[in-house]
Amino acid sequence: MGFPVAQDWRTALAAMPEGALALFSPARGPLAARRVARALMEEAAVLGGGQVLALPGGDLLLGAQAAPGHRAGRVIAGLTGRVPEAWILPAGRRLAEARCRDTTSPEPVPGLAELEARCAPMAVPDFARLTLFAEGAGHRPVAQRLGPAPLGLPDPQLESLAREWLCRRLLAALADPAQRGLLPALRPGLRLVLDLPRGGLPAGAPLRGAAPDDPNRPIALLPLSSRADPARFAAIESELRAAGWAVGLVAAEARALDWVEAPGLAWAVPVGDASPRHRPELLIALGRAVPGWCRVPGILHEGIAS
C-alpha cells in the first residue's frame, strides 16, 4: 500500500554518529500535547539532521546534532510538565536501547493493517473535503481547499500515514475523468489550495498551475514533516514552482510558525485567539471559529457560509 514505514529503532540507533542525541517523549497526557511534542521533535530532526521514530509507547528523536533536540526537550517540558529522557550517543546507547525495549502502549492504537482495513473501503466522497475561505474582513469566498478529511486517530504518526495515502487517492481521482465526478465540485474563479503528499505531485500529473506572477496561482500544501529531508524538499518546491504553483506547509499546531523558518512559503494551521509572533506572507487559518486578528489582508480564513 506504499506507507512510508519508519526504520527499526535498533538499526537507527546504531547508525547515529558520536555526539548524537536520543530523546524519548512518552505517549502520555492529552493528545494535543503529544502532537505538539511530536511536532517539536520533527523540527529538531530537520534542524539537527535525523529522524523521529514512532514507538508503541512514545516518540524517539534521533538527532545527529544534539543542540536542536535539547531545545525541543526544554520546550516539551515547559508545555507538558514532563522532561523527556535524553541520552548522548554512543555513551548512552544502552540506556536508550533499554528504554525503547521497555516502552509499552498506554492506550490501544490501530496498527498499519488496521489502518489499511479502515481506509481501503473508503469511497472518494467519504474522505474528500472542499473548504471555502474568505480574506480579510470580507465574507465572500475567494479560495477553496481540496484535501482529505482527518480521521481523528489517537496516534499522530498513523494520522500522518493516513493523510499520505488519502492524498494520493485524491490526486488519482483528479487525474482520472472517471473518478473526477466523485470529488466535491470545484468552484470556478476561486483560488485552489490542494493538499499533497510528502512527495508532491506524481510524475506526469496533468495538474498545471499558473504564471509565476499570477497572485491567484494555486497553492500546493505539503505536510511539515516533508522538511525533514531539506534537499528533497527543495527539489519538490522547485518542481512545483516551475509548474506554476505556490507552495505552502500544513501543520497541526500554530506554534510551528514560531519554530520553523520557511521564507516564501504559505502556511495552513489551526488558529486560536492569540496571534503567532511570526506571520507568513500568506496564512491559511484553519477552523470555523475565526478570531478577529485573522480578518486582515493576507490571511485566508474559514467561518463563511458554503
Side-chain angles (χ1 to χ4, degrees), residues 146-249:
L146 180 62
L151 299 186
L153 299 173
D155 183 270
Q157 177 75 355
L158 290 178
E159 185 71 49
S160 175
L161 294 177
R163 179 192 182 277
E164 284 288 299
W165 192 33
L166 295 178
C167 276
R168 293 192 188 102
R169 288 191 60 193
L170 189 151
L171 289 177
L174 275 174
D176 181 359
Q179 294 188 71
R180 202 173 298 145
L182 300 174
L183 294 167
L186 297 177
R187 297 198 179 189
L190 299 188
R191 188 176 191 181
L192 176 62
V193 181
L194 181 63
D195 280 67
L196 297 184
R198 292 182 59 170
L201 291 172
L207 298 172
R208 299 295 299 179
D213 58 350
D214 186 340
N216 288 314
R217 63 190 182 281
I219 303 169
L221 281 185
L222 298 167
L224 179 60
S225 59
S226 63
R227 283 173 53 91
D229 185 339
R232 178 62 179 146
F233 181 84
I236 293 170
E237 181 184 4
S238 178
E239 292 169 0
L240 286 168
R241 293 192 187 279
W245 291 74
V247 181
L249 296 170

Side-chain angles (χ1 to χ4, degrees), residues 13-18 87-98:
L13 263 173
M16 296 309 293
E18 184 173 354
W87 304 271
I88 295 295
L89 305 175
R93 181 169 294 148
R94 288 188 178 180
L95 292 174
E97 288 175 346

